[in-house]
Amino acid sequence: MNPIITGLLLAGFVSVFVITMSGRVGVLLAMKKENRLDHIPYRVAQLVRFGLGQKRMVDPEEFTPGLFHIFIYAAFMVLAVRTIMMFVMGFSSTALDVLTDLSHPAWDAAPPLLLLYKVYLLAKDTVAALALAGVAYFVWTRWKVKPDRMSQSWEAYLILGFIAGLMITEFMFGGSHMVAAHAAAQQVPMGATQVPAAPSAMVWWEPVTSLMGLAMMPLGATTAHVLGVAGFFIHLTLILAFLNFLPLGKHFHIITGLPNVFFQRTHSTGKLPTPNLEKEEFGAATVKDLTWKNGLDLYSCTECGRCQTHCPTYITGKPLTHKGVNQDLKHWIWDNERWVEEGYGPNHVKEPLPEIVGSALKAETVWACTSCGWCEQACPVFIENVPRLIDMRRYQVQVKAEFPPEIQRVFEGMERQGNPWGIGQDRRDEWAEDLALPTWGDGGEYEYLFFVGCAGSYDDKQKKVSRALVKIMREAGVSFATLSKQEMCNGDSARRMGNEYLYQTLAKTNVESWNAMGVKAVITQCPHCFNTIKNEYPEFGGEYRVINHTQLINELLKDKRIRLSSVMNAGTKLTYHDPCYLGRHNGVYDAPREVLKSIPGLEVVEMQRSQREGFCCGAGGGRMWMEEHIGTRINHNRMNEVALTLKHAEDPNTPFPDAADKKKPGMVGDYKEQGGKGIVAVACPFCSTMLNDAKNDTGREQIQVKDITELVADSMETSNKGGTVSPSPVVSAKPE
C-alpha cells in the first residue's frame, strides 16, 4: 500500500490518543492508593471466566443481548490480529502480497502455517459476520424496542456505525483481491493452447469475503481495486478514530473493562473496606479520596443499565441509579482533570477540590441506596458501587455531621444502650425470661453462641422467632448458650449509615469479649448479623464459624434430628422472599427453600424476582431506620409482587407481566388488585418488618408474613418439650 499515508495516520491518531490517555491515567494516579495485586491466581481465573469468557454477559435475564454482545466482542478480539496485519501491509508491499495471495511461493515452504492462516481467516470471516448481525440487533433494539435500561444517545449509533464500517471494509479489502485473482486467471498467456481454468469464486476459508468478491466482480478489476484500496484506508482510519473516541465515552470499557475484572475484590460483596480511623481516614470528601480502583470503575461503566433492572431505588423512583452515579462522577472528573491532578481549578489558580456531595452528586442520591447488591451482581465488569457510596456517607456523618435526622436516635441508642431502638440494656433478655436459657460463661461448655440480635431481643414479632428457634434447637439437642444481658449490637446499621467509628467500637468490643470467652461458632437469625460477623469481624480478630438459622435448620432436617408433620391446610400457597444479605451477598439460596419444601402441606411458588434476581424489601444499607420521602415505597412494590404471585398460583388466568419485557422493569410490583391468599416466608427481621408494614399499608390482611423458623416450629414433632439442652455433635453449614 502506501507507507507514507499509513505512517501519517498512525502518528497523528496515536499522538492524540496518548495526550487524551495521559489525562485519564493522571487522574487515577492522583487518587488514593489501594492494593489490588493480592490473590493473583484467583484474579487470573476470574479474568479468564468473566473477562475473556464473558460469562456475566449471558446471565439468564439478559441472555439474548448478551449473546449478540459476545459476537461483537469476539470480532474485536479476532480482528485485532487482522488489523495489525493490515498496518504491516500498509508499510510492506511484500507482506501485502503474501497475506492476500495464498498461492504466493512464500507459503510453499510452510504448509502447516498456511493451514493455520486459513483457519484464522475462517474464524475472522465468521466472527465479522456475526458482529454485523450484532450491530443489526442493537440498532433494532435501540430504535424499535427501546428497553428501559438503555439510554438513547447518538454515541451508541455512532459506535455501531464504527463497528459495521470496520467489518464491511475488511470484507471489501479481501473481496477486491479475489476479483484481482479472478481477473488474472482469465488472461490467456502468450502461446497458450487453452485458457487456464479460473479459480473458484468461493473459498472455504473466507466464505463471506468470497461473497463480497462475487458482488464486486461485475464492477471490473480496476473499480474493485479502487474500492479495495479505499476499504483498506477507511478501515485503518476507522480503527484509529475509534481508538481515540474510546476515552471520551462509555466505550472506554473496551480498554478498561478487562483490567477492571482482573482487579475486582476477592471477598464477599457483603464486606466493606475498613478505613484506618487512627490515620484519620474518615470517608470520601473529594474525588481524590476515592481509590484508583473506584476511578477505574467509573471508566469501565458501559451504561448498559443492567444495574437498573432490579434496583429498588430506580424501580420506585428514587434519585439514584448506579449508572447515573457513575456517569455524573466520571464526567465531573473528566471536566476537571487538571484540578484533580494538579490542584488548578476552573480559574487556573490553585484551589481545594470541592466535596463530591454538592458538586458531582446530591445528598439524597448518596443516602438512597439500600446496599442490596443487585447492581454489583448484574454488572458485567464488576463495578463496586456500594462501598463508594458508603465511603461518601462516612464523610457526611463523621466529619460534616450531615445525615437524615431520623438516624440520630439510632446512633444514640446504639452508643448508650447497645441497640438501635435505645431500649434499656437490662431488658435485652426479657424475651426469654421463662425459657431458662444457659448463658455463655456460666460454667457450662457449649458448642454455639446463639447471637440473638437486637431485633430478636427487642422487636415483638422477632421475639417469637427467637423463641421458635430455641424450641427447634432444644428439640434437636443443639448445644448453645446466649450472652443474655451482655449481648450488644454487632454494628451493621451503624457502618452502612456511615458511622464507622461507632461500628468499629462495637465490633472490637464484641470480638474482644467473645474471644476471651472462647467462642468458636455463632448462630444468627438475622442476615445482617450473619454477614457482619462472618465477613467483617475477621478484620478485628473475630474468626468464627458463623451459621445462619436457615442453614442450621436445613442441616437438622437432613440429619433427621427434627421431624416435621403437617399443620397447614393442604395446598396452602407460599412464596419466599430472599433477604439480600443472605442471598446475593452470601450466596445462601438453597437452604431456605429446602426447609420450606420439607414442610408438609405447603405449595411453594417462586416470585418472578427471586434468588439472584431477588428484589430488596427496602431496609438494607441502614434504610430500615430512614423514611422514604421520594417515589413509591420499596416494600409496597415487593408486597404487590407477593400478592400477584400468590394470586397467579391460585388462578393461572390472572395476568402476569412477561419477565422478558424490558420496557418497564418491576411491573410485577405495580399490582394493585386485592386477592392472593397465602404466606410469604422471610428469613430476616428487617424483611419481616418491612413486609408486615406493607401488608397493612396495602390492605392485604389475607397474606401472612412468617419467618421460616416459625413455620418449622409450628410443624415440628416435639419430644423434648422445652427441656434441658444436651450436648451434640457440631452442625456445620455447607456452602452453597
Side-chain angles (χ1 to χ4, degrees):
M1 286 295 176
N2 190 313
I4 296 176
I5 296 176
T6 306
L8 289 173
L9 283 174
L10 266 176
F13 280 104
V14 170
S15 297
V16 175
F17 178 74
V18 169
I19 292 170
T20 304
M21 284 299 294
S22 65
R24 302 293 189 252
V25 173
V27 166
L28 297 184
L29 295 175
M31 299 174 89
K32 194 161 66 175
K33 292 179 173 57
E34 181 181 9
N35 178 25
R36 293 277 178 146
L37 288 174
D38 55 348
H39 302 94
I40 296 297
Y42 173 84
R43 295 185 184 280
V44 171
Q46 292 294 88
L47 176 63
V48 171
R49 185 182 180 195
F50 293 101
L52 301 176
Q54 298 279 287
K55 185 177 183 299
R56 275 197 177 178
M57 291 306 303
V58 288
D59 280 341
E61 70 276 2
E62 299 287 355
F63 179 82
T64 301
L67 183 62
F68 279 104
H69 184 278
I70 287 177
F71 291 162
I72 294 175
Y73 162 80
F76 269 96
M77 297 297 284
V78 174
L79 261 72
V81 177
R82 182 64 168 175
T83 299
I84 294 172
M85 290 181 188
M86 292 178 74
F87 274 110
V88 173
M89 293 180 212
F91 287 108
S92 169
S93 58
T94 301
L96 176 66
D97 292 340
V98 173
L99 293 172
T100 58
D101 181 6
L102 273 60
S103 64
H104 193 283
W107 293 109
D108 294 341
L113 188 60
L114 175 61
L115 178 60
L116 181 63
Y117 185 51
K118 287 181 177 179
V119 171
Y120 168 76
L121 292 176
L122 176 61
K124 178 265 297 181
D125 253 36
T126 303
V127 296
L130 289 174
L132 285 175
V135 169
Y137 171 81
F138 286 118
V139 168
W140 172 261
T141 301
R142 288 183 172 277
W143 181 36
K144 288 295 185 182
V145 180
K146 298 180 180 178
D148 175 83
R149 67 177 180 82
M150 285 186 178
S151 302
Q152 294 298 318
S153 68
W154 62 268
E155 180 188 342
Y157 291 104
L158 176 63
I159 293 298
L160 290 172
F162 271 137
I163 296 169
L166 289 170
M167 306 306 145
I168 292 170
T169 52
E170 156 60 26
F171 291 140
M172 286 173 55
F173 174 65
S176 70
H177 286 281
M178 289 189 174
V179 173
H182 181 78
Q186 298 304 311
Q187 295 178 359
V188 181
M190 184 70 67
T193 57
Q194 69 180 77
V195 177
S200 170
M202 294 289 293
V203 292
W204 65 265
W205 56 86
E206 285 188 295
V208 183
T209 300
S210 296
L211 291 174
M212 179 65 81
L214 283 173
M216 296 171 69
M217 278 184 187
L219 302 175
T222 302
T223 303
H225 175 72
V226 171
L227 290 176
V229 173
F232 177 87
F233 283 110
I234 291 173
H235 185 94
L236 297 190
T237 303
L238 282 176
I239 198 68
L240 290 170
F242 192 20
L243 179 68
N244 276 275
F245 191 75
L246 294 182
L248 304 178
K250 67 178 184 177
H251 285 80
F252 201 7
H253 74 271
I254 293 176
I255 296 174
T256 63
L258 292 179
N260 210 55
V261 172
F262 177 81
F263 289 120
Q264 66 181 270
R265 66 182 138 208
T266 57
H267 51 74
S268 164
T269 58
K271 178 184 176 183
L272 291 173
T274 298
N276 189 330
L277 299 181
E278 293 182 359
K279 293 184 178 180
E280 298 187 348
E281 295 177 355
F282 296 135
T286 72
V287 294
K288 287 188 71 170
D289 295 316
L290 300 175
T291 70
W292 65 263
K293 175 57 171 63
N294 295 148
L296 192 64
D297 281 342
L298 299 179
Y299 291 176
S300 301
C301 181
T302 71
E303 297 184 48
C304 66
R306 291 185 178 210
C307 56
Q308 294 179 182
T309 55
H310 298 307
C311 173
T313 57
Y314 176 75
I315 296 298
T316 58
K318 307 297 188 293
L320 167 67
T321 70
H322 291 286
K323 180 176 78 171
V325 167
N326 290 336
Q327 299 319 302
D328 289 345
L329 282 171
K330 179 175 71 177
H331 288 295
W332 191 93
I333 289 172
W334 286 358
D335 290 342
N336 298 279
E337 279 185 346
R338 192 170 181 230
W339 204 352
V340 178
E341 286 184 71
E342 304 170 19
Y344 288 95
N347 298 319
H348 308 292
V349 296
K350 288 269 190 177
E351 56 184 301
L353 282 169
E355 294 175 1
I356 296 172
V357 177
S359 59
L361 300 176
K362 296 180 180 179
E364 54 263 35
T365 299
V366 173
W367 287 102
C369 183
T370 68
S371 73
C372 75
W374 166 251
C375 56
E376 298 182 10
Q377 179 75 56
C379 182
V381 290
F382 290 81
I383 292 173
E384 298 162 19
N385 297 296
V386 175
R388 189 173 58 216
L389 288 176
I390 298 300
D391 221 26
M392 296 177 200
R393 289 183 181 184
R394 286 170 176 162
Y395 177 75
Q396 294 299 303
V397 170
Q398 297 177 128
V399 178
K400 300 278 288 183
E402 294 179 358
F403 46 81
E406 59 264 32
I407 64 176
Q408 178 64 46
R409 61 177 178 79
V410 179
F411 290 152
E412 291 174 354
M414 296 171 78
E415 289 170 355
R416 297 172 183 174
Q417 299 295 342
N419 68 85
W421 285 278
I423 301 173
Q425 183 74 11
D426 60 337
R427 297 178 58 190
R428 193 164 193 114
D429 62 349
E430 285 183 0
W431 67 274
E433 280 182 338
D434 60 332
L435 296 181
L437 294 181
T439 302
W440 200 285
D442 61 5
E445 292 187 7
Y446 307 101
E447 198 71 56
Y448 297 100
L449 169 64
F450 173 28
F451 185 77
V452 183
C454 300
S457 300
Y458 294 109
D459 181 80
D460 288 338
K461 295 186 184 70
Q462 202 64 23
K463 288 178 186 178
K464 298 176 183 177
V465 179
S466 302
R467 295 176 68 89
L469 187 54
V470 167
K471 177 182 175 181
I472 293 168
M473 291 193 291
R474 280 184 158 171
E475 181 63 33
V478 176
S479 174
F480 74 94
T482 71
L483 293 171
S484 189
K485 290 182 174 62
Q486 304 308 309
E487 184 179 283
M488 287 199 307
C489 182
N490 67 84
D492 161 82
S493 290
R495 167 166 258 201
R496 280 152 183 81
M497 290 190 294
N499 197 334
E500 182 69 18
Y501 176 80
L502 176 55
Y503 161 72
Q504 289 197 22
T505 300
L506 291 168
K508 290 175 181 177
T509 300
N510 282 332
V511 168
E512 182 179 350
S513 174
W514 298 359
N515 287 351
M517 293 177 181
V519 173
K520 301 297 182 185
V522 181
I523 293 170
T524 69
Q525 60 174 317
C526 171
H528 297 267
C529 301
F530 172 73
N531 177 77
T532 297
I533 299 170
K534 177 177 181 285
N535 295 318
E536 298 183 325
Y537 272 26
E539 285 198 85
F540 303 98
E543 299 279 354
Y544 314 111
R545 185 163 51 84
V546 188
I547 303 169
N548 174 261
H549 66 310
T550 64
Q551 295 173 308
L552 174 69
I553 294 170
N554 193 38
E555 289 299 306
L556 295 177
L557 285 167
K558 288 181 177 179
D559 294 342
K560 302 188 185 310
R561 294 172 62 183
I562 58 174
R563 298 180 184 277
L564 308 183
S565 59
S566 178
V567 295
M568 300 291 174
N569 294 326
T572 299
K573 305 290 190 298
L574 176 145
T575 191
Y576 172 62
H577 166 78
D578 286 279
C580 301
Y581 274 81
L582 187 61
R584 254 197 302 270
H585 287 302
N586 286 285
V588 181
Y589 295 114
D590 294 338
R593 288 171 169 81
E594 289 173 4
V595 171
L596 291 170
K597 289 174 182 176
S598 299
I599 302 175
L602 290 180
E603 180 185 334
V604 180
V605 294
E606 288 283 5
M607 285 188 269
Q608 188 183 100
R609 299 176 293 188
S610 64
Q611 299 195 54
R612 64 176 296 278
E613 295 181 67
F615 193 71
C616 182
C617 72
R623 292 295 316 180
M624 172 72 178
W625 316 105
M626 302 179 227
E627 284 297 325
E628 288 186 60
H629 300 291
I630 304 172
T632 59
R633 290 186 176 273
I634 295 170
N635 58 339
H636 288 189
N637 185 285
R638 188 54 160 172
M639 180 51 70
N640 291 342
E641 182 177 8
V642 169
L644 177 57
T645 302
L646 294 174
K647 179 65 177 176
H648 186 75
E650 181 184 301
D651 177 13
N653 292 321
T654 302
F656 210 86
D658 181 4
D661 190 340
K662 304 300 182 185
K663 289 187 177 181
K664 190 179 186 304
M667 284 192 291
V668 287
D670 295 337
Y671 183 69
K672 297 297 189 294
E673 304 298 324
Q674 292 299 313
K677 183 178 181 181
I679 301 170
V680 54
V682 296
C684 171
F686 289 3
C687 297
S688 177
T689 297
M690 298 300 280
L691 293 182
N692 266 299
D693 288 349
K695 179 187 81 169
N696 297 330
D697 293 344
T698 59
R700 293 197 168 96
E701 301 301 328
Q702 73 278 18
I703 297 176
Q704 299 179 67
V705 181
K706 288 275 193 179
D707 191 280
I708 290 175
T709 310
E710 297 176 280
L711 295 168
V712 171
D714 288 345
S715 180
M716 185 176 65
E717 298 175 7
T718 56
S719 55
N720 176 16
K721 299 180 180 179
T724 58
V725 178
S726 58
S728 64
V730 173
V731 178
S732 63
K734 296 177 181 177
E736 301 187 27

